[in-house]
Amino acid sequence: DTGVSQDPRHKITKRGQNVTFRCDPISEHNRLYWYRQTLGQGPEFLTYFQNEAQLEKSRLLSDRFSAERPKGSFSTLEIQRTEQGDSAMYLCASSRTGNTIYFGEGSWLTVV
Amino acid sequence: AQSVTQLDSHVSVSEGTPVLLRCNYSSSYSPSLFWYVQHPNKGLQLLLKYTSAATLVKGINGFEAEFKKSETSFHLTKPSAHMSDAAEYFCVVSETGGGNKLTFGTGTQLKVEL
């Protein structure tokens, strides 16, 4: 396994701009998750996919956030009209159904 | 609803002494419990997991944890701390066998001193 890969690792953007993060899961992992972690806190669940289907979304995922996994492989998380409160680390993870969840190294977002 | 409470936000130990990181959980169903470690600027790494088999779970790097249902606890221990153990540790609960949503505690920062 090459591990979960996230890109970019760091992003600084101006308030109001749109940003997109990409996640490449471990190959053959059918589940893919997005979490958000702010300083001093544990990661919080945002959403997850089984193959290409988005099965659950947290109420933390406002309508400015959209996640896709079009072919059941990589996923993107887009944040529109960014706000300073969106500054956080966005973590992607993947697993086979019912098995251990493996995390990527995260994408840091700073909104200025 | 499921939740975990990590009782200490910071723990400091001397190298070579035992480590104890405390965690209590709340779950409506039989939980799966995990400990993850996060080194600075790194992703989360699974240390160990409990999924209703043996109550004493051994993980990587000499860590272990004991599931105590009567106390709703899942404390993490290590007999002898090493400098490389300095990191943030998260206690995590999942109600569905670990395949779905994980709920994280707020983390315990472990400092290891010479």
Side-chain angles (χ1 to χ4, degrees), chain A residues 86-99:
Chain A
D86 297 331
S87 295
M89 181 163 68
Y90 291 85
L91 288 159
C92 179
S94 71
S95 74
R96 289 194 180 94
T97 303
N99 285 358

Side-chain angles (χ1 to χ4, degrees), chain B residues 54-67:
Chain B
T55 56
L56 183 62
V57 182
K58 293 189 183 298
I60 61 171
N61 300 334
F63 285 94
E64 62 182 38
E66 186 172 7
F67 174 73

Side-chain angles (χ1 to χ4, degrees), chain B residues 42-54:
Chain B
K42 293 290 186 183
L44 291 154
Q45 181 184 19
L46 180 67
L47 278 179
L48 50 81
K49 62 180 178 180
Y50 165 77
T51 54
S52 76

Side-chain angles (χ1 to χ4, degrees), chain A residues 9 31 33 35 37 40-45 48 56 89 91 95 97-106 108, chain B residues 6 34 36 38 41-46 49 51 88 90 92 94 96-107:
Chain A
R9 294 290 318 280
R31 288 191 171 179
Y33 310 79
Y35 284 78
Q37 185 178 18
Q41 298 296 317
E44 295 173 294
F45 171 80
Y48 93 94
E56 187 174 348
M89 181 163 68
L91 288 159
S95 74
T97 303
N99 285 358
T100 299
I101 296 175
Y102 294 90
F103 284 82
E105 295 193 343
W108 279 103
Chain B
Q6 292 186 244
F34 310 80
Y36 279 83
Q38 188 175 37
N41 299 317
K42 293 290 186 183
L44 291 154
Q45 181 184 19
L46 180 67
K49 62 180 178 180
T51 54
E88 183 110 30
F90 292 97
V92 184
S94 170
T96 55
N100 278 2
K101 180 173 57 177
L102 301 179
T103 300
F104 284 75
T106 52

